[in-house]
Amino acid sequence: MSQPPTRRLSGTTLLRSVGENLAPYRRVIEPAGQQVAIIRFAAAAGDPPLWHLRMEAARVSAEQKVKAFSRLGFGVDHRLLTPPVAPSEFADLLDAFNKDRKTAAVIVQFPPPPHLTPLVQRLDPAKDIDALLEDRSRYPACATADGIARLVTPFATDNPTVAVVGARGFVGRGVVRLLSNRGLQVRELDTGDDLRAVHEADIVVSATGQPHILTPDHIRPHHRLVVDSGFMPRPDGSVAGDVRPDAATVPQYVTPVPGGVGPVEMAVLMDRIVRQEADAGLKPWQLPQVPYLTRHQVDTGPAPAVQRPTLPTPTPGHRLPDQWRVAPPPSPGRKPGGLSR
């Protein structure tokens, strides 16, 4: 049957909208002089090419975070640790940020060098804005997983099955946990599994970091949403996601790479830090409902007339859906319900 073309869900548009809604909080945040610390690592000349690419992805992500937090009025202490990094150097830096009353949050860009990974557990849970400590964090999952779950929600009004590829990884575990807690049926797939099992799902989330692991052999027209959280820089300067380009034109909706999940992650971090430091009563942003075709409609047709909107773009005088709007920020100098430091 004839099906409307695949629509790309713009995380960049979402981030712009969330940023504009949260912008008034700058007048509360900036005078307080708080900062966010971001720690990332450089690759050594002799490291494998794949590690160099991962560190490049970490650099891109860190620079996006610098822009997001700065926009809200936070200072950002962006530390690049160059090899060789002794465990004592990393531990001392974490301890210093833990003790610093002006440091509201600390983010370690993943993956750290393997010999340093256990030291991330030294992070103060109160400053773990990205849930790196998992069960010890105040948040149920990392910002990427949280953003993915929020993307899935408007497509999950009829208890669909969600296939999570890379379910045992850091992001995948968080996605599985959040979606399962919302009562959704989750099919967990990882190394060694037959990925053709995604055929049986209504929604596909891929969080493997393995470029082009999902092909047209896996993605089907009945997939109402495919979320691609992969982001791997390539030697030629391009970026690859988990979904091969010819498969990204198959489902009803897909998140692009770049410009999809990455900006959504930033929107979650902005949302979290504002609630933590300026307005504990602020409700997390949510996406409006989106029309989609069920598997039955795709299989039996004919397709009803469906207009698939992109995420709303703010314009002067445009009123975003209620779930995108925020209450007026408090007056400068007070943090209602905020956490003490």
Side-chain angles (χ1 to χ4, degrees):
M1 59 168 280
S2 175
Q3 183 178 337
T6 299
R7 298 301 296 265
R8 292 154 62 91
L9 292 181
S10 172
T12 302
T13 300
L14 186 151
L15 177 59
R16 184 186 309 119
S17 297
V18 170
E20 291 188 0
N21 281 339
L22 296 178
Y25 283 95
R26 185 180 182 107
R27 71 172 186 255
V28 181
I29 293 167
E30 194 166 30
Q34 295 290 94
Q35 72 169 13
V36 176
I38 300 173
I39 305 170
R40 68 179 178 91
F41 303 88
D47 285 335
L50 179 58
W51 187 257
H52 280 265
L53 294 176
R54 287 179 174 173
M55 293 303 97
E56 174 62 12
R59 180 193 66 79
V60 172
S61 177
E63 291 180 353
Q64 290 175 341
K65 292 179 176 75
V66 170
K67 292 179 181 178
F69 292 123
S70 298
R71 183 176 182 181
L72 291 171
F74 288 97
V76 180
D77 189 341
H78 181 189
R79 298 288 185 98
L80 173 63
L81 301 185
T82 58
V85 181
S88 59
E89 178 186 358
F90 184 39
D92 289 347
L93 183 59
L94 286 174
D95 291 346
F97 283 137
N98 285 342
K99 295 174 183 177
D100 181 18
R101 298 177 63 86
K102 287 294 185 181
T103 300
V106 182
I107 296 175
V108 179
Q109 289 294 134
F110 266 56
H115 73 289
L116 300 178
T117 300
L119 293 173
V120 174
Q121 296 301 313
R122 298 175 74 100
L123 181 59
D124 180 355
K127 300 188 179 188
D128 182 20
I129 196 74
D130 203 15
L132 301 179
L133 303 179
E134 299 197 66
D135 291 344
R136 294 173 53 220
S137 172
R138 71 175 69 192
Y139 299 101
C142 67
T144 301
D146 189 349
I148 290 171
R150 298 191 205 189
L151 288 174
V152 167
T153 298
F155 296 87
T157 58
D158 57 346
N159 195 31
T161 299
V162 184
V164 178
V165 184
R168 291 196 288 273
F170 177 64
V171 173
R173 291 196 303 271
V175 173
V176 169
R177 181 163 54 250
L178 292 174
L179 296 183
S180 298
N181 288 346
R182 297 179 187 186
L184 296 181
Q185 304 176 58
V186 179
R187 175 69 184 272
E188 301 180 37
L189 298 167
D190 214 296
T191 304
D193 294 327
D194 185 349
L195 297 187
R196 289 174 296 182
V198 303
H199 293 176
E200 304 306 316
D202 302 290
I203 296 169
V204 180
V205 173
S206 188
T208 70
Q210 298 183 43
H212 301 168
I213 192 172
L214 296 181
T215 73
D217 291 336
H218 308 107
I219 306 302
R220 291 289 182 263
H222 73 262
H223 287 140
R224 59 186 70 166
L225 171 66
V226 173
V227 179
D228 184 353
S229 71
F231 186 92
M232 180 61 73
R234 311 183 93 181
D236 64 1
S238 64
V239 176
D242 286 5
V243 180
R244 210 168 75 185
D246 55 348
T249 61
V250 176
Q252 298 177 48
Y253 293 84
V254 69
T255 59
V257 178
V261 171
V264 173
E265 176 194 1
M266 301 306 126
V268 171
L269 288 171
M270 292 174 75
D271 174 287
R272 288 180 176 182
I273 198 73
V274 168
R275 290 204 310 277
Q276 177 177 304
E277 297 300 317
D279 186 358
L282 176 67
K283 293 183 179 180
W285 58 262
Q286 299 293 334
L287 293 179
Q289 294 299 312
V290 213
Y292 56 81
L293 302 178
T294 65
R295 182 168 188 166
H296 177 74
Q297 290 171 322
V298 171
D299 289 344
T300 62
V306 174
Q307 181 182 5
R308 298 182 184 166
T310 55
L311 301 180
T313 302
T315 56
H318 174 63
R319 184 181 185 277
L320 292 173
D322 286 341
Q323 62 265 47
W324 282 51
R325 304 178 76 229
V326 298
S331 301
R334 80 182 181 92
K335 293 168 51 178
L339 300 172
S340 60
R341 288 283 171 209

